[in-house]
Amino acid sequence: METELSRQLGIEHAIFGFTPFPEVAAAITRAGGFGVLGAVRYTAPEDLARDLDRLHDLADGKPYGLDVVMPAKKVEGVTEADVEAMIPAEHRGFVQELLARHGVPELAAGEASGWRITGWMEEVARNQLDVAFDYPIRLLANALGSPPADVVERAHDHGVLVAALAGSARHARRHAEAGIDVVVAQGYEAGGHTGEIGSMVLVPEVVEAVAPLPVLAAGGIGSGEQAAAGIALGAQGVWLGSLWLTTEEADLHSPALTAKLLAAGSGDTVRSRALTGKPARQLRTAWTDAWDDAAGPGTLPMPLQGLLVADAVSRIQKYEVDELLGTPVGQIVGRMTSERSVQAVVDDLTRGFERAVTRMNRIAGRSAT
């Protein structure tokens, strides 16, 4: 699965794997793909440095990248405490009532939340970059579109390519104008923050809009045949996230959540603002249903919603409250039916890709070489 972009980065397969787990990112890289560590959950720079150390050691000298979440426009002087103060008491009460209704225990006295996504606040993301550029990362991706111009310049000064996710051709054009090197066309089917256009429509639109910049296809891709389809539409590789959640190297800290993922079908996800305040595809649960119910107070904008629900999500995950337990995941969850190693997943992807290429060559009257 070689393309111009994969050759530029020195990887065997044009498979880009986004994951919050350094062990998974390293395993993707070792298998010939390109592991990308998600940084949004790291609030302390030393924690990110610890896991980048681990990723670097496990990657066996092969390339890897980092994914951050930061807005394109710089906002000065806004702290987490300032944002916390903006959360209405009505919403705090709604969270407590929902947890009580489902019998979710409190955290132990003095126990801090283990899930506190503040990495989309610019102050936190910039601290992450101060750490990241001390490592030989080859790609910096931003999940909220184009990062600020000074960040793009800083990355380029370090010889690092910059990627940005796009849910429409209009977004992709803005990325190109901002000096982005790679556009990730993420379709409606994808897990996490995603737009409203399906991958089959979106990918060729983005390819045309930003040519000759390389495009990665994302959303609804979990087989080699689907990867081949993305490349046939003009992409130079595929960006996969959900598929790695049920790998043996992933550490969800929740057997119950793993079981829910393995049992879920492609219709068991929903785009909801319940987790972050922006539409994000995730498992449908009583938690998402409650927030999407018109009788409730409604969700808050990012980053208020994420800060509001952080402790609640930690409690739900720690005590594995099944009705509320969920995670961001794409519609491809229906294919995630067994725990496999990262290497086995990559092998399956490349075999499927070869089958698709052979089939198309046969249709075209050519023998595969």
Side-chain angles (χ1 to χ4, degrees):
M1 293 181 64
E2 284 192 356
T3 65
E4 183 179 345
L5 179 60
S6 69
R7 287 189 288 271
Q8 180 182 357
L9 289 169
I11 58 177
E12 183 179 359
H13 308 302
I15 298 170
F16 293 74
F18 164 81
T19 174
F21 307 114
E23 293 82 4
V24 175
I28 295 167
T29 286
R30 290 197 309 273
F34 189 93
V36 181
L37 179 65
V40 72
R41 67 193 180 101
Y42 296 100
T43 56
E46 59 269 23
D47 292 339
L48 177 59
R50 177 201 63 220
D51 279 3
L52 280 173
D53 280 339
R54 182 156 180 75
L55 169 54
H56 184 76
D57 290 343
L58 293 174
D60 291 345
K62 296 181 178 180
Y64 56 88
L66 189 74
D67 180 282
V68 297
V69 180
M70 63 189 309
K73 294 183 179 179
K74 188 172 182 177
V75 180
E76 299 282 2
V78 177
T79 67
E80 182 178 334
D82 295 330
V83 178
E84 285 266 18
M86 298 168 65
I87 297 174
E90 177 190 12
H91 285 76
R92 294 190 186 277
F94 180 77
V95 170
Q96 294 308 313
E97 188 276 331
L98 181 57
L99 295 175
R101 189 193 321 158
H102 289 273
V104 182
E106 296 275 358
L107 294 175
E111 183 178 359
S113 166
W115 188 97
R116 193 164 184 80
I117 294 181
T118 56
W120 50 61
M121 297 182 64
E122 184 172 344
E123 174 189 4
V124 177
R126 286 185 176 274
N127 289 337
Q128 292 169 348
L129 294 177
D130 289 340
V131 173
F133 288 126
D134 287 336
Y135 294 81
I137 62 171
R138 296 291 307 280
L139 179 76
L140 175 68
N142 188 34
L144 275 186
S146 305
D150 67 296
V151 172
V152 176
E153 182 179 1
R154 186 179 179 190
H156 288 165
D157 287 345
H158 282 81
V160 176
L161 297 180
V162 180
L165 275 66
S168 71
R170 177 171 54 87
H171 293 157
R173 290 189 193 98
R174 287 210 299 262
H175 297 341
E177 292 166 359
I180 298 301
D181 305 293
V182 180
V183 177
V184 181
Q186 181 167 276
Y188 172 83
E189 307 94 327
H193 296 134
T194 187
E196 299 181 350
I197 304 173
S199 298
M200 187 64 72
V201 174
L202 178 66
V203 173
E205 286 187 352
V206 170
V207 168
E208 181 178 353
V210 302
L213 287 184
V215 172
L216 299 176
I221 299 173
S223 73
E225 289 84 354
Q226 290 167 320
I231 292 176
L233 293 172
Q236 288 199 28
V238 292
W239 178 276
L240 311 179
S242 299
L243 198 61
W244 316 108
L245 289 173
T246 52
T247 57
E248 294 169 356
E249 293 87 348
D251 190 7
L252 290 177
H253 299 293
S254 173
L257 180 55
T258 298
K260 289 188 78 169
L261 288 169
L262 295 174
S266 56
D268 292 328
T269 68
V270 63
R271 282 175 78 243
S272 171
R273 298 177 184 269
L275 190 60
T276 70
K278 290 190 68 171
R281 186 170 297 284
Q282 54 203 281
L283 284 178
R284 182 173 184 173
T285 65
W287 175 264
T288 61
D289 287 348
W291 281 105
D292 295 339
D293 190 334
T299 56
L300 297 170
M302 178 185 277
L304 298 182
Q305 183 72 14
L307 291 172
L308 168 66
V309 306
D311 289 341
V313 172
S314 286
R315 289 164 60 184
I316 292 165
Q317 291 178 345
K318 176 177 179 178
Y319 298 109
E320 298 189 306
V321 182
D322 191 72
E323 318 93 85
L324 303 178
L325 187 63
T327 186
V329 69
Q331 291 180 333
I332 201 63
V333 70
R335 293 186 63 94
M336 296 157 51
T337 57
S338 64
E339 291 186 74
R340 299 180 293 166
S341 69
V342 167
Q343 182 67 63
V345 172
V346 172
D347 288 345
D348 186 56
L349 289 167
T350 56
R351 282 193 298 265
F353 179 82
E354 290 170 356
R355 286 194 300 269
V357 171
T358 299
R359 185 182 308 122
M360 295 308 296
N361 276 324
R362 188 183 308 120
I363 293 170
R366 296 191 299 268
S367 61
T369 57

